[in-house]
Structure formats: C-alpha cells, structure tokens
Amino acid sequence: TLLFGYAFSFWIMTYNAESDNAFATIGGTLLNSYSFMLGGFDPEAFDGTPVEGFALFLSVMFMLLVSIILLNLLIAIMGNSYSVVQERTKQQYRWEQASSIVDQ
C-alpha cells in the first residue's frame, strides 16, 4: 500500500505537467515508484513539474520509509532464524546427553 499511495501522489503532482514526463501515466508512475523502492532514484524525473521541490522531498521520504521497512523486515527474519537455531541447539544438546547416558 505504501507503493500505491506514493505512486498515486506522484501521479497527482505531475498530472498537468509535460506529457513526456516519466510520471505522466499511472503505469509509468507505478514503474518509477517501484524503481525508487529499489534505489533507482532519478532527480531529473520531476523536471518541469509545478511542485518539483515537494516531489523531490516526497520521493526522498518514500525511499527513507522503504529502507526502514526493509531493515525491519531483515531484523525480523534474522530474529526468527536465530530462534530456530537456538531451538535446534537445545534439541541437539538433549540428544547428545541422552546418547551419552545410554552409552554408559
């Protein structure tokens, strides 16, 4: 929803701009917003728009929010992986302890 929200706001800001603008159509806006999300920021994409400064600010905020969300996702994945490894370690310890008791 973050992608669609920002893409729609970019499209509204560039609605009356030049027709060759990268944000002139909804499809182009979604594609460029997705490119922003992946780090492909082009500050010249907003040239000729009536609110060029605000559009640049909004795109920087979008990229900042996406970075924070992706870092949060990475932390969650790493936390889950750590807990899975910890659980396997406990199971392996119990197995080795049981093996040593049976061997004696």
Side-chain angles (χ1 to χ4, degrees), residues 24-93:
T25 64
I26 293 178
T29 304
L30 283 170
L31 184 63
N32 281 314
S33 296
Y34 184 72
S35 175
F36 281 0
M37 196 168 65
L38 298 177
F41 178 65
D42 182 20
E44 296 172 355
F46 296 108
D47 287 346
T49 59
V51 286
E52 182 178 345
F54 183 67
L56 287 173
F57 170 75
L58 197 62
S59 61
V60 168
M61 291 303 297
F62 173 69
M63 290 178 20
L64 181 67
L65 283 172
V66 166
S67 297
I68 290 171
I69 289 171
L70 289 176
L71 281 173
N72 193 14
L73 180 64
L74 178 66
I75 290 168
I77 290 171
M78 294 304 292
N80 186 34
S81 297
Y82 182 77
S83 64
V84 167
V85 168
Q86 285 298 100
E87 184 61 34
R88 287 184 185 166
T89 302
K90 288 179 185 175
Q91 290 173 354
Q92 185 68 28
Y93 174 75

